[in-house]
Amino acid sequence: MAKASTLGVWLLLATLAFVARAANVTVNWDITYVYNVNPDGLAARWVIGVNGSWPIPAINVTEGDLLILSVKNSLNVSTSLHTHGMFQNGTGYYDGVPGVVQCPIQPGQSFTYRIPMQQHGTYWIHAHYKGQYGDGLRTALIIKPKAAEVYKYDQEYTVVLSDWYHTPHDDLMVWFMSPYNPTGSEPIPDSTLINDNSDNSTFAITAGKTYRFRLINVSLMPSMFISIDGHNMTIIEVDGIDVQPYTVQSFAITTAQRYSILVTALNTTTQNFQFHADTDPSMLDFPDKCTKPNATATLIYNATAPTAVMDRVPWNMTFNDMELVPVVPVAAVDPDTSFELNVILNVFDDASNHATFNNIVYAAPPVTPALWTALTMGPQATDPTVYGQNSHPLVLQHNQMVQVVINNLDVKGHPFHLHGHVFQVVFRSTEAGQYYNSSIVIPPQPNPVRRDTVIVPGTGSAVLRFRADNPGIWLIHCHIEWHFEAGLAATFIEAPLEIQSRIAVPQELSNFCTNNGFKTSGNAMGNNGTDLTGYQLTAQPLSGNFETKGIISLVVTIVVALLGLGTVVWFGHHQ
Ligand SMILES: *[C@@H]1O[C@H](CO)[C@@H](O)[C@H](O)[C@H]1NC(C)=O
Ligand SMILES: *[C@@H]1O[C@H](CO)[C@@H](O)[C@H](O)[C@H]1NC(C)=O
Ligand SMILES: *[C@@H]1O[C@H](CO)[C@@H](O)[C@H](O)[C@H]1NC(C)=O
Ligand SMILES: *[C@@H]1O[C@H](CO)[C@@H](O)[C@H](O)[C@H]1NC(C)=O
Ligand SMILES: [Cu+2]
């Protein structure tokens, strides 16, 4: 008895200790332009920073905290912020996707995100409005577990990896979408940055200690290979999921992915060592246009010692994130429902190159954001029609096991991100041309890798599974920003009836929308039922037979040839 009550007191104290520790962490961001920023030493440009400076400081919190991110938009364009990798269970209205779960924050307006930190690990916060994160509006979000870390280490560093462009994002996007670019060549970054610097970042290291490096790839476009001269790296976390130790000499990280690695310092104080982040040239159509594809930082053992000149370890082309084993096992189970998303990049009937799932050029609902359609349409909220065809709505029933088959018909790899979840990766093609169909048997898997961003290889496929246990509206999209903006996204309408019964959207958010000219009821056009009068479809696939498409392609090619000089001038001016 005495023992039991001692235990009771102990539990009570432990609970109180936890309650005391869970804090409100308030971060105030006045989002501003910052001028004359030159992180690669090659060219100064304006960027988007906060409170008058850039880079934007990382946010460090503890699981259980409430992150209160208070934003004022001092730009002359709208904005919104997405906290990448957060489940937002119950607070999906703070997921930050404009036209889907919130209305854009217009110039001069303020908006406060109140996001419970329900997970731990390595995350990031970035603009989800056009390509503003490529102009600098992103930073790391590090969440410590409320219990002890799974792995012991002496100290940690956050390493933000990015591509860098001297030309503002919107200008590059205009070029990407223009008929001058019929093959859909993505803009080429000018350089690669490690912690917002191409050569000069440093990490102080003490001989014999163990360090955790939290790597976050915040690029718009390419993949990078990571290695550290003279050191092995042991992967222990992938996209917020702790995994069994997996030691590599180099590995690839694609945009929006995160990995934590443990690095044991050598027993030396006579040399320093380079940390490398090399851009994968196979992702770039014109790799030679990237002036500094390889960034280096330095592990400083001794500030007065020389940096070791070492042979580079080869890029590990075979590293397979599917071999990573989560510490907390979750077995794969058969799906209740399956969606097939074919990745198709093509010239559409607006003569622009688009990137799509199943030939649907994604666009957010124009009048009523999808969340409010789900909230207000009663039983009709389960009918995908009411969300409008452009948003590619896929309706899920509560607690279904959902399978998503991605067949990538494009020749290049694409990194796909799902909001509001981690998914299991239960299959991925191992050779070109291997598309998934039901003749491929997926074996039972006791504990497949779980993550929130996966690379699907060119002319290849992947099969993802997740439990629809988080009622809300969640995008799945390519995290190559050019492709997302060109239409490569779809919308999961997850458990709309449970959204109605469980999600209490703060009235101030609805008011924010109506004050900004959006509606907060009805279908995508703000009407009743399926009346979508006035709804404009996005660009459609070139209709008709092969010949018609051939003729249009030919015309586009001729136009481009005639305007060729213009392209050269454009390229010369902007690259
Ligand atoms: C980051 O991701 C991009 C896009 O997937 C990739 O090209 C780039 O090489 C990655 N960077 C690093 C340092 O791994
Ligand atoms: C580092 O050197 C110390 C002192 O010589 C030794 O005790 C220790 O085992 C060495 N550690 C490693 C990892 O070699
Ligand atoms: C980048 O690094 C790779 C791997 O070491 C190397 O092959 C390539 O030549 C480097 N590129 C440049 C421009 O230095
Ligand atoms: C299914 O996929 C396999 C392996 O890629 C392929 O050989 C087969 O032709 C496909 N079957 C159908 C019906 O597409
Ligand atoms: Cu893509």
Side-chain angles (χ1 to χ4, degrees):
M1 262 329 208
K3 244 187 187 159
S5 68
T6 312
L7 182 66
V9 169
W10 186 86
L11 278 177
L12 180 68
L13 287 176
T15 312
L16 286 176
F18 170 64
V19 169
R21 216 171 46 202
N24 287 352
V25 177
T26 302
V27 175
N28 292 304
W29 278 9
D30 183 7
I31 299 179
T32 51
Y33 296 107
V34 182
Y35 297 93
N36 281 316
V37 171
N38 190 354
D40 59 7
L42 296 173
R45 56 158 294 184
W46 62 263
V47 301
I48 304 178
V50 301
N51 308 329
S53 72
W54 188 90
I56 300 169
I59 297 176
N60 289 281
V61 297
T62 303
E63 189 178 358
D65 287 350
L66 178 67
L67 173 63
I68 303 173
L69 178 57
S70 204
V71 173
K72 172 162 191 274
N73 179 7
S74 295
L75 307 175
N76 58 20
V77 289
S78 293
T79 193
S80 78
L81 296 174
H82 170 57
T83 308
H84 184 113
M86 293 293 94
F87 296 156
Q88 299 266 19
N89 193 335
T91 56
Y93 40 80
Y94 289 134
D95 194 48
V97 187
V100 177
V101 298
Q102 82 161 94
C103 294
I105 310 166
Q106 295 178 6
Q109 292 182 334
S110 295
F111 188 95
T112 300
Y113 296 89
R114 297 168 201 276
I115 306 173
M117 300 287 101
Q118 300 161 331
Q119 298 146 261
H120 67 267
T122 308
Y123 302 90
W124 58 303
I125 297 181
H126 64 85
H128 218 291
Y129 192 86
K130 297 192 172 173
Q132 288 170 343
Y133 87 81
D135 290 327
L137 185 46
R138 60 355 185 231
T139 196
L141 169 66
I142 308 301
I143 313 176
K144 301 275 183 198
K146 57 187 177 215
E149 287 283 1
V150 173
Y151 297 99
K152 286 200 169 32
Y153 47 88
D154 298 301
Q155 204 186 325
E156 66 174 66
Y157 290 111
T158 296
V159 186
V160 174
L161 306 162
S162 70
D163 49 9
W164 189 249
Y165 300 78
H166 296 154
T167 306
H169 179 82
D170 284 356
D171 297 351
L172 292 174
M173 194 65 207
V174 166
W175 174 77
F176 176 64
M177 297 298 292
S178 80
Y180 294 93
N181 181 26
T183 58
S185 268
E186 295 83 7
I188 306 297
D190 293 295
S191 51
T192 302
L193 305 179
I194 301 174
N195 283 345
D196 303 307
N197 198 297
S198 57
D199 314 288
N200 298 326
S201 289
T202 57
F203 305 105
I205 302 289
T206 302
K209 290 198 168 175
T210 300
Y211 294 84
R212 177 182 190 153
F213 289 84
R214 297 174 179 270
L215 310 178
I216 311 174
N217 187 340
V218 305
S219 296
L220 298 186
M221 169 69 189
S223 283
M224 295 180 197
F225 288 98
I226 304 300
S227 60
I228 306 178
D229 289 348
H231 296 68
N232 284 337
M233 304 177 288
T234 300
I235 297 173
I236 56 163
E237 179 215 338
V238 52
D239 293 357
I241 303 294
D242 297 309
V243 294
Q244 307 287 352
Y246 186 104
T247 299
V248 287
Q249 287 191 300
S250 75
F251 67 103
I253 174 169
T254 75
T255 185
Q257 295 185 327
R258 290 89 65 211
Y259 287 94
S260 282
I261 54 174
L262 290 184
V263 175
T264 303
L266 305 176
N267 239 359
T268 176
T269 51
T270 60
Q271 293 187 97
N272 298 320
F273 295 89
Q274 283 193 325
F275 177 113
H276 301 279
D278 302 332
T279 294
D280 177 359
S282 74
M283 300 283 285
L284 305 177
D285 286 337
F286 304 101
D288 292 347
K289 287 195 180 291
C290 181
T291 312
K292 280 192 186 178
N294 299 344
T296 54
T298 311
L299 269 53
I300 305 282
Y301 282 76
N302 173 349
T304 60
T307 298
V309 179
M310 302 189 72
D311 285 344
R312 297 292 310 279
V313 298
W315 289 342
N316 182 347
M317 309 306 278
T318 57
F319 166 71
N320 184 354
D321 56 338
M322 286 181 69
E323 290 169 12
L324 298 172
V325 178
V327 168
V328 177
V330 177
V333 298
D334 289 340
D336 302 309
T337 183
S338 184
F339 296 91
E340 185 172 322
L341 298 176
N342 293 319
V343 178
I344 302 170
L345 276 67
N346 220 333
V347 176
F348 277 59
D349 67 0
D350 59 352
S352 277
N353 210 285
H354 285 281
T356 69
F357 284 131
N358 303 349
N359 273 325
I360 297 174
V361 176
Y362 171 86
V367 175
T368 301
L371 175 63
W372 279 271
T373 295
L375 282 164
T376 60
M377 296 217 61
Q380 256 187 318
T382 59
D383 176 0
T385 318
V386 298
Y387 301 92
Q389 186 182 318
N390 299 334
S391 66
H392 201 161
L394 305 168
V395 176
L396 307 179
Q397 285 173 37
H398 195 217
N399 284 331
Q400 277 181 328
M401 177 55 64
V402 181
Q403 174 167 287
V404 183
V405 173
I406 299 180
N407 280 322
N408 176 10
L409 279 56
D410 187 36
V411 292
K412 286 195 214 151
H414 296 256
F416 288 98
H417 170 49
L418 172 64
H419 288 222
H421 290 275
V422 285
F423 45 72
Q424 298 173 319
V425 187
V426 295
F427 171 82
R428 185 163 52 195
S429 57
T430 51
E431 59 193 70
Q434 194 184 26
Y435 299 112
Y436 176 81
N437 63 40
S438 54
S439 76
I440 295 175
V441 176
I442 296 177
Q445 294 165 59
N447 189 16
V449 71
R450 301 191 297 278
R451 61 182 317 167
D452 63 43
T453 307
V454 69
I455 188 92
V456 182
T459 66
S461 53
V463 178
L464 318 176
R465 288 187 192 155
F466 64 96
R467 177 75 63 194
D469 56 4
N470 190 10
I473 314 287
W474 309 114
L475 284 197
I476 182 167
H477 65 93
C478 177
H479 221 293
I480 292 179
E481 181 60 26
W482 319 108
H483 299 162
F484 173 53
E485 288 182 65
L488 189 40
T491 312
F492 283 112
I493 313 291
E494 181 169 334
L497 303 180
E498 286 69 22
I499 292 176
Q500 292 168 11
S501 60
R502 296 181 187 195
I503 306 294
V505 178
Q507 185 60 40
E508 61 178 17
L509 300 192
S510 302
N511 296 346
F512 188 81
C513 281
T514 45
N515 290 341
N516 283 351
F518 289 83
K519 291 192 178 168
T520 52
S521 66
N523 62 34
M525 290 303 289
N527 298 331
N528 292 327
T530 54
D531 169 15
L532 288 162
T533 308
Y535 187 78
Q536 306 260 328
L537 286 184
T538 44
Q540 297 297 305
L542 290 172
S543 58
N545 51 32
F546 187 72
E547 266 167 58
T548 338
K549 290 189 192 184
I551 289 166
I552 295 182
S553 278
L554 187 66
V555 169
V556 168
T557 310
I558 290 169
V559 168
V560 166
L562 291 173
L563 297 174
L565 191 60
T567 316
V568 172
V569 169
W570 197 98
F571 233 93
H573 190 65
H574 288 267
Q575 291 290 311

